[in-house]
Amino acid sequence: MFSYYLRLALKSIRRNPILSALMITAIGLGIGASMTTITVNYLMSANPIPHKSDQLFYVQLDSWSPFEPANEPNEPPDQMTWTDATNLMKAKKAFRQTAMASSGGVVEPQGQDEKPYMASIRLAFADFFPMFDAPFLYGSSWQSSADDNRDYVVVISKSTNDRVFGGKNSVGETIRIVGKNFRVIGVLNDWLLVPRFYDVTTGAFGETEEIFMPFYMKQELEMTNSGNTNCWKSPEGEGFQAFLQSECVNFQMWVELRNDDEKAQYMDFMNNYVNEQKALGRFPRPLNNRLSNVMEWMENQEVVADDAQIMMWVSFMFLLVCLLNTIGLLLSKFSGKAAEIGLRRAVGASKSDLFIQHTVETAVIGVAGGILGLGLAFVGLEGIKTLYGEFVQNLVGLDMTMVASAILLALISSILAGVYPTWRACNIEPASQLKSQ
Amino acid sequence: MNINKWEIGPIFRALMRNKVGAVLIAIQIAVTMTIIVNSIFIIIERSKLMQRESGIDDANSFYITNTGFGDEFDSKATTIADLELIRNTPGVIDAVQINAIPNSGSGWSMSFQTEPGENKEDQGAAIYMVDEHATKALDIEVIAGEDFTPSDVRWRENGTRDWPDTVLITKVLAESLFPDTPWQEAVGKTMYISQTEPMIIKGIVDKIQAPWVGWSDLEHSVLTPEITQFSSTRYFIRTQAGERDRLMPEIEEALASANKQRIIRGLRSVEETRERSYRGDAAMIKILSTTMVILTIVTALGIVGLASFSVNRRKKQIGTRRALGASQSAIVRYFMLENFLISSVGVIIGAVLTIGLNMVLVNVFSLPSLDWYFVPAGMLVLWLVGQIAVFGPAKKAANIPPALATRTV
Amino acid sequence: MLTMHNVKKIFRTDLVETHALRDFNLQVDEGDFVAVTGPSGSGKTTFLNIAGLLETFEGGTYELDGKNVSNLSDKQRSQLRNEKIGFIFQSFNLIPDLDLFDNVDVPLRYRGFNSAERKKRIENSLELVGLANRMKHLPSQLSGGQQQRVAIARALAGSPRFLLADEPTGNLDTKMALSVMELLKEINDTGTTIVMVTHDQDLAKQAKRNIYVRDGQVSELSEVVSLEHAANA
């Protein structure tokens, strides 16, 4: 019977080509707009590390000014001072932990043809790589001892390896960065994080860095500050070391805690630490320390842009209008079929037979609209890429989940739109339609 | 004109008997109006943001970054040589080393207060570190007090924490710092940076925006007379009209070959910088405009579709009306009036929804609230859309021959 | 075959109640060919709709083929229509965008026959009405008489026991009307019971039995001759 209904549906769609095209276009436009904005929001709010996002915690200590919070209403600063970052790292109270900072420096490739260039650098601890599941192409992370010994070692990205070493296994080779020679310990494979959750202070959708370097190189080589530096009071004294000892925040800190007990213990540790520091005259504000897991931190940092959300809600309303339109058009269409429906009733079709027949018809229209919508979503996402430029590159890909959801959304919304017209059509009094019209 | 001829009563009663179609159209109109009015409001707000002037010569300026490396790199000597080279290039009006670019999104800000000490009322402002060429290179004007002289300018090293004794500030910052006196009187007054370090306001410039276009104090800027001796520095270059695009690659090449102990990068025009900073707003404007246009078309087509259907269904009735003496214009009027009644319900619901959505946007996304006149304007537009959309089917109805009444089709 | 006892049908609007049928009594035997005549608004069509299970009624009893149909669900009524009753309408009611084959196929689909069975039945019934060679034509390509033949083929395809015809020749000219009538008589001869509503006295005369409906009641049950007399009077 299904194939029969399908055949009837196609015939019916062909009988009113303009009306059918209007409905398919309406659903297609609504679905296209919604899928475009849903994709952007979905990717913005995606969990970049689902299997352990609730075991990774961003650490915040409220070291801010006694007179005002770092952020209203009473948020601790979103980064940490050098003093606190290094103290927490030395305590090693978590299962894994890494303080980090973003920086940059000039890389001088050895070959004569290759020009020196500016590379982005992340300063981090050895735990960084296992904590965030960094994928290695060659070699591995440096040892924890290298952190404390301030060894001149680096992990480089695949693109850096391609650029400086022509893509070969460069583990053990020397690379010249900020005028110093470093030994390559590991080469990462392609590593795309959407969002790049481990540091969202300068935007959540940046690329992962080109070079990863032990954290204490910040002090050792006086690496420049990248990202945001915020101070509630000026450093006391001149020079780089004075800055490091100041109350300026420029460092991020993550810990890996495997269960609630570990989390509670770490929270206690943080509070004890702050109380000790208070005794030394620091931390003038009341205790206000935070441990946020990955998704809580993304939420706190409002990683999903307001504009993206506004556009999503607008597109849902747009879809609503398109569906109302479809309901109207279906009403017209089905009321034009009253005679046929009456006849079918007379020859023995029950109401449920007719309901199924017309639901199949709306579903066919829905699927067609969904396919059109999918096409329009591709166009829409290309459009967003053109409008917003390269920094949304990672936010405009349609995966199979989204393709399936688009078709499903179209199917569900068209069937919903069809319920009332179909119900009305099936309740036509057959007798009223059979006398000469 | 006799109002009885308008048949409002009969039209209304006929509508009540076929509510669903009418309700569908009314809701479509209401939602469409909600989206359109709020979109237009957002578009206008964003355009206003984008039209704010940076205060500098956007069209003829560009900048480039110089990053030294290696032990032999001499930042001071390089800067002196580079500035000399750039300033002597034909077509260049002037150039200045600067630590940040207006509207670029990255820069340096500090708090300033008029009394020294902790917990005093303060104003945030962007810091531009420049020398005495700044006003000419940036195309800004000292409108009170005096410009920097070469003797004001000092060298700032990496790690220097103190500040020059004299500064220039923008007019808007002067007004914010000294709200009780005319801005001109700020000249010669002292303000404090880092809570206690005094600075004397040497002059007031008309306008130079801060680097962050989303900042509420966009026109709070301070110019400090100093040249930085950092490993990475930036040159801001203003050219004569029309010379920018020729000079950009030329100066990049000249700097790169003049000294090999550094890399020359980040060549970009101020225009492009502004475009990048406002790209999100520009995109939002384009997306919302497209949505509005498509939505209006969809709604109009929906009205055309339902009206055509209703005309077809009432063919015989219309023929009968014609047979009973209704003129063609009476038939057109019937359908236009019917649509007007439906639209009226739609735009009234639409007005409520529009204000509701705006309240949501205000609460959730901190958008400004809607000016009242957007609502009646939106109602008028949707009324018009409805009337235009229904005119075609109404004309078709008017062309139904009266003879149809006697035919049994 | 068909027994109605004191069947009532009332149409209500806000203001008036119309008694379309009042205490309607009728018995139709297996193999009969009954013509129902009567003035406009007399209740002929209402009777036919109730007989065909297209409408419900308020009072009385109606037995179809020995089965009381008063309290059946929509599904059961649909099934009865499908299996026992064939309909023929004044305006044919063919589905314009289905070809003849598919039009005749419509009731068979709801019957759940397999495709070989359906094909056989469609071909046989189109053969019977003399249109087997035009199976792939659309209704619009046929004359009125031919369209009504297709409608008859559709009514017969499911081998109903009972054929209901509502003004089957009303939209046809005299010559075509006669040929359709001949066809109906042939069908009746094979044992199918037929009830036909018509306002055409000449046609009615050709049926085996005539009834006359007035004011929602079978007011007169007479032989052809006396009916003719009444009509002429």
Side-chain angles (χ1 to χ4, degrees):
Chain A
M1 218 53 188
F2 182 74
S3 64
Y4 180 59
Y5 289 145
L6 207 59
R7 200 156 59 88
L8 291 178
L10 293 176
K11 263 187 197 299
S12 171
I13 287 166
R14 252 176 294 163
R15 180 171 44 192
N16 303 90
I18 295 178
L19 207 59
S20 306
L22 263 178
M23 285 189 279
I24 293 171
T25 313
I27 293 178
L29 283 170
I31 296 294
S34 303
M35 287 318 293
T36 307
T37 57
I38 289 173
T39 303
V40 172
N41 279 272
Y42 164 79
L43 292 173
M44 277 186 164
S45 59
N47 185 340
I49 185 158
H51 55 285
K52 62 193 295 191
S53 64
D54 51 358
Q55 293 174 22
L56 295 173
F57 295 89
Y58 192 78
V59 181
Q60 281 172 284
L61 302 175
D62 199 344
S63 59
W64 214 245
S65 147
F67 307 113
E68 56 181 4
N71 286 297
E72 296 295 339
N74 186 27
E75 291 287 304
D78 60 359
Q79 298 184 105
M80 209 180 268
T81 63
W82 170 265
T83 309
D84 296 325
T86 50
N87 285 344
L88 292 188
M89 283 309 299
K90 277 175 192 141
K92 276 204 171 38
K93 291 290 183 195
F95 171 60
R96 285 180 180 134
Q97 52 243 304
T98 181
M100 52 192 195
S102 64
S103 185
V106 175
V107 174
E108 297 167 72
Q110 295 305 310
Q112 284 303 308
D113 332 331
E114 279 297 329
K115 281 188 184 159
Y117 69 95
M118 192 72 185
S120 55
I121 297 175
R122 178 143 301 264
L123 297 154
F125 284 84
D127 278 353
F128 175 90
F129 304 95
M131 274 174 84
F132 301 126
D133 282 348
F136 277 88
L137 184 62
Y138 304 117
S140 64
S141 159
W142 58 78
Q143 298 296 311
S144 282
S145 55
D147 284 323
D148 298 328
N149 298 339
R150 310 197 173 191
D151 289 345
Y152 282 49
V153 291
V154 286
V155 168
I156 61 178
S157 69
K158 186 162 184 276
S159 64
T160 305
N161 191 50
D162 290 345
R163 185 165 181 174
V164 178
F165 297 106
K168 67 172 185 188
N169 183 348
S170 61
V171 172
E173 302 269 342
T174 298
I175 181 170
R176 198 167 169 78
I177 307 165
V178 292
K180 305 287 177 197
N181 286 331
F182 285 81
R183 187 159 51 88
V184 176
I185 286 284
V187 178
L188 292 181
N189 209 336
D190 288 321
W191 194 25
L192 179 67
L193 287 171
V194 182
R196 193 197 60 188
F197 67 99
Y198 61 68
D199 182 7
V200 292
T201 54
T202 51
F205 303 103
E207 303 282 330
T208 53
E209 282 78 2
E210 296 167 282
I211 290 166
F212 298 83
M213 197 181 270
F215 185 74
Y216 291 123
M217 290 298 151
K218 175 84 185 175
Q219 189 173 38
E220 187 81 8
L221 299 177
E222 305 201 349
M223 300 288 291
T224 53
N225 296 349
S226 222
N228 298 326
T229 307
N230 292 302
C231 316
W232 63 273
K233 80 180 184 197
S234 291
E236 289 162 11
E238 301 276 301
F240 194 82
Q241 301 306 326
F243 163 76
L244 288 184
Q245 302 314 316
S246 74
E247 291 295 337
C248 296
V249 296
N250 180 236
F251 305 92
Q252 306 93 40
M253 170 120 190
W254 286 88
V255 291
E256 184 171 342
L257 304 168
R258 288 164 298 182
N259 52 49
D260 287 349
D261 282 350
E262 286 190 5
K263 187 185 171 191
Q265 282 166 20
Y266 201 81
M267 197 71 204
D268 286 345
F269 158 69
M270 282 159 65
N271 291 341
N272 286 336
Y273 168 76
V274 170
N275 283 329
E276 283 166 22
Q277 292 291 314
K278 278 176 182 287
L280 298 174
R282 292 184 63 226
F283 287 87
R285 298 182 68 73
L287 269 190
N288 183 21
N289 303 323
R290 306 272 174 92
L291 280 176
S292 316
N293 71 27
V294 174
M295 294 318 279
E296 286 165 354
W297 183 237
M298 297 300 103
E299 176 78 16
N300 177 283
Q301 293 291 290
E302 295 176 357
V303 160
V304 181
D306 279 1
D307 278 6
Q309 290 181 52
I310 292 175
M311 276 189 258
M312 185 168 74
W313 291 110
V314 165
S315 69
F316 284 162
M317 290 171 73
F318 184 99
L319 177 63
L320 174 69
V321 172
C322 292
L323 289 182
L324 288 172
N325 217 311
T326 308
I327 296 176
L329 296 172
L330 279 173
L331 273 178
S332 314
K333 191 177 160 115
F334 288 170
S335 73
K337 289 174 78 178
E340 180 188 328
I341 290 165
L343 181 272
R344 286 183 182 277
R345 295 278 283 136
V347 301
S350 63
K351 281 182 190 175
S352 54
D353 287 329
L354 286 166
F355 197 86
I356 296 169
Q357 181 193 330
H358 289 92
T359 303
V360 169
E361 185 171 337
T362 48
V364 169
I365 290 170
V367 170
I371 292 168
L372 176 67
L374 209 53
L376 290 175
F378 273 111
V379 175
L381 289 172
E382 279 306 310
I384 286 192
K385 212 187 288 182
T386 320
L387 288 177
Y388 283 92
E390 69 268 33
F391 65 94
V392 298
Q393 210 72 13
N394 301 331
L395 291 175
V396 293
L398 273 178
D399 58 17
M400 277 322 288
T401 323
M402 295 313 278
V403 170
S405 344
I407 301 285
L408 201 67
L409 180 64
L411 200 60
I412 291 171
S413 31
S414 64
I415 288 176
L416 278 183
V419 166
Y420 177 72
T422 306
W423 177 81
R424 222 164 80 147
C426 296
N427 277 292
I428 286 171
E429 278 303 320
S432 68
Q433 296 299 324
L434 297 168
K435 202 69 181 158
S436 58
Q437 314 115 52
Chain B
M1 186 179 284
N2 183 352
I3 194 78
N4 288 327
K5 272 173 83 177
W6 283 35
E7 305 178 279
I8 290 179
I11 291 174
F12 186 73
R13 286 190 291 277
L15 270 179
M16 292 312 287
R17 258 172 265 123
N18 181 27
K19 276 187 264 231
V20 178
V23 166
L24 283 174
I25 294 283
I27 300 177
Q28 267 190 66
I29 287 178
V31 178
T32 304
M33 175 178 156
T34 308
I35 298 179
I36 287 183
V37 173
N38 278 287
S39 298
I40 288 190
F41 181 64
I42 294 175
I43 289 172
I44 290 175
E45 288 294 312
R46 298 295 170 97
S47 315
K48 274 191 209 152
L49 289 183
M50 292 179 68
Q51 278 157 12
R52 294 175 306 183
E53 285 172 2
S54 65
I56 59 175
D57 186 1
D58 294 337
N60 300 309
S61 304
F62 66 95
Y63 58 94
I64 195 161
T65 303
N66 155 53
T67 303
F69 60 89
D71 300 329
E72 298 127 59
F73 177 71
D74 181 343
S75 179
K76 191 169 176 175
T78 306
T79 302
I80 293 169
D82 285 347
L83 282 173
E84 167 123 7
L85 183 153
I86 298 168
R87 285 170 182 160
N88 289 330
T89 304
V92 171
I93 292 180
D94 208 343
V96 66
Q97 190 214 58
I98 195 164
N99 64 319
I101 304 297
N103 297 346
S104 67
S106 91
W108 193 335
S109 84
M110 292 295 287
S111 290
F112 297 89
Q113 51 203 58
T114 50
E115 290 170 60
E118 285 190 338
N119 201 20
K120 295 289 192 297
E121 195 182 321
D122 59 7
Q123 298 288 338
I127 300 270
Y128 291 114
M129 298 169 186
V130 291
D131 65 15
E132 75 281 3
H133 291 264
T135 44
K136 199 171 165 199
L138 295 164
D139 191 24
I140 54 180
E141 199 185 336
V142 177
I143 49 176
E146 283 168 39
D147 200 350
F148 292 137
T149 59
S151 62
D152 293 326
V153 180
R154 68 162 191 178
W155 286 91
R156 185 185 187 100
E157 287 173 35
N158 210 358
T160 300
R161 295 297 157 202
D162 67 337
W163 295 90
D165 302 332
T166 57
V167 291
L168 299 178
I169 67 173
T170 55
K171 181 180 154 201
V172 175
L173 178 60
E175 286 165 344
S176 299
L177 283 171
F178 305 100
D180 304 325
T181 51
W183 55 268
Q184 292 91 338
E185 292 179 16
V187 175
K189 285 190 175 157
T190 302
M191 62 179 188
Y192 298 87
I193 190 169
S194 308
Q195 295 176 338
T196 51
E197 189 181 341
M199 291 175 147
I200 294 163
I201 299 166
K202 188 177 187 192
I204 292 171
V205 296
D206 49 352
K207 181 175 180 175
I208 175 169
Q209 287 190 336
W212 312 279
V213 294
W215 192 32
S216 51
D217 293 323
L218 187 54
E219 296 194 8
H220 280 189
S221 303
V222 173
L223 275 62
T224 61
E226 48 195 341
I227 306 175
T228 62
Q229 244 176 298
F230 304 162
S231 61
S232 215
T233 57
R234 206 172 267 133
Y235 304 120
F236 182 101
I237 300 137
R238 178 174 167 221
T239 69
Q240 282 157 5
E243 298 277 32
R244 185 194 71 192
D245 293 345
R246 178 180 68 80
L247 284 170
M248 281 173 71
E250 198 179 307
I251 285 178
E252 180 184 33
E253 178 55 37
L255 290 176
S257 49
N259 183 343
K260 300 283 187 193
Q261 282 302 302
R262 47 95 177 273
I263 49 180
I264 291 295
R265 62 193 177 95
L267 176 70
R268 188 170 285 169
S269 70
V270 172
E271 240 171 21
E272 192 194 335
T273 300
R274 247 177 99 80
E275 189 268 321
R276 279 170 171 260
S277 290
Y278 284 113
R279 189 175 276 170
D281 296 313
M284 190 77 171
I285 288 175
K286 282 184 191 138
I287 289 169
L288 289 178
S289 314
T290 314
T291 309
M292 269 167 43
V293 171
I294 296 176
L295 188 61
T296 310
I297 293 173
V298 167
T299 302
L301 284 180
I303 295 172
V304 171
L306 276 186
S308 308
F309 158 66
S310 132
V311 167
N312 278 336
R313 207 188 41 190
R314 287 188 275 187
K315 256 186 180 158
K316 182 146 182 191
Q317 187 200 117
I318 296 161
T320 310
R321 282 172 183 276
R322 296 277 283 126
L324 294 175
S327 64
Q328 288 199 324
S329 62
I331 300 290
V332 172
R333 192 174 61 219
Y334 182 96
F335 282 96
M336 304 281 279
L337 257 176
E338 184 184 74
N339 175 271
F340 185 81
L341 288 178
I342 298 170
S343 301
S344 301
V345 175
V347 296
I348 289 167
I349 302 171
V352 177
L353 289 181
T354 302
I355 295 167
L357 177 64
N358 179 247
M359 281 160 69
V360 172
L361 291 175
V362 170
N363 286 330
V364 181
F365 300 110
S366 318
L367 258 51
S369 37
L370 198 66
D371 294 316
W372 67 271
Y373 53 80
F374 278 86
V375 175
M379 291 169 85
L380 207 64
V381 169
L382 266 295
W383 255 317
L384 262 173
V385 169
Q387 292 289 291
I388 293 167
V390 86
F391 187 69
K395 282 296 273 186
K396 211 173 85 183
N399 287 331
I400 289 171
L404 207 68
T406 55
R407 249 184 263 152
T408 51
V409 181
Chain C
M1 183 70 221
L2 174 157
T3 312
M4 286 189 183
H5 181 69
N6 284 349
V7 168
K8 290 186 194 61
K9 177 73 183 178
I10 303 168
F11 292 110
R12 290 187 181 84
T13 64
D14 296 343
L15 300 173
V16 289
E17 282 191 356
T18 314
H19 290 259
L21 295 182
R22 46 182 99 198
D23 296 333
F24 193 95
N25 292 294
L26 182 68
Q27 166 128 17
V28 178
D29 296 326
E30 178 109 40
D32 210 345
F33 188 159
V34 181
V36 180
T37 54
S40 263
S42 61
K44 299 191 299 281
T45 301
T46 307
F47 154 68
L48 202 74
N49 286 340
I50 290 174
L53 304 178
L54 293 174
E55 274 178 23
T56 53
F57 52 94
E58 272 98 33
T61 55
Y62 170 24
E63 282 179 19
L64 179 65
D65 208 9
K67 190 178 183 188
N68 191 329
V69 298
S70 314
N71 294 312
L72 297 181
S73 72
D74 176 73
K75 202 145 194 126
Q76 291 166 317
R77 294 155 64 84
S78 298
Q79 198 184 344
L80 267 183
R81 278 204 297 276
N82 186 264
E83 288 172 9
K84 302 214 164 157
I85 304 171
F87 280 100
I88 302 167
F89 309 98
Q90 176 177 2
S91 46
F92 326 136
N93 290 355
L94 298 176
I95 298 174
D97 51 4
L98 297 182
D99 61 26
L100 302 195
F101 185 95
D102 282 340
N103 260 293
V104 179
D105 189 31
V106 170
L108 304 181
R109 286 281 181 168
Y110 298 114
R111 190 75 158 269
F113 288 134
N114 65 34
S115 73
E117 174 74 14
R118 292 203 313 272
K119 189 163 186 290
K120 196 181 80 195
R121 281 172 177 267
I122 295 164
E123 283 167 359
N124 286 347
S125 56
L126 280 171
E127 187 77 45
L128 185 74
V129 301
L131 289 166
N133 55 339
R134 312 194 66 167
M135 232 175 277
K136 291 289 155 203
H137 284 79
L138 288 174
S140 58
Q141 294 168 297
L142 303 182
S143 73
Q146 285 170 322
Q147 289 191 32
Q148 192 59 299
R149 283 166 176 277
V150 178
I152 293 170
R154 179 178 64 194
L156 291 176
S159 328
R161 304 271 302 282
F162 197 34
L163 210 54
L164 293 175
D166 187 7
E167 305 272 12
T169 59
N171 282 1
L172 302 177
D173 64 29
T174 317
K175 191 175 152 216
M176 283 186 177
L178 280 173
S179 87
V180 165
M181 197 58 204
E182 282 309 313
L183 184 57
L184 288 178
K185 282 199 276 186
E186 279 170 35
I187 292 162
N188 180 244
D189 289 342
T190 64
T192 308
T193 312
I194 300 179
V195 173
M196 174 179 79
V197 165
T198 181
H199 61 270
D200 184 331
Q201 302 295 352
D202 291 335
L203 228 48
K205 275 189 295 190
Q206 300 189 41
K208 286 183 181 162
R209 184 179 158 208
N210 272 209
I211 62 166
Y212 187 73
V213 178
R214 163 181 264 165
D215 293 336
Q217 280 182 312
V218 180
S219 76
E220 202 169 332
L221 200 60
S222 62
E223 290 305 312
V224 177
V225 180
S226 63
L227 183 83
E228 190 179 19
H229 176 78
N232 291 343

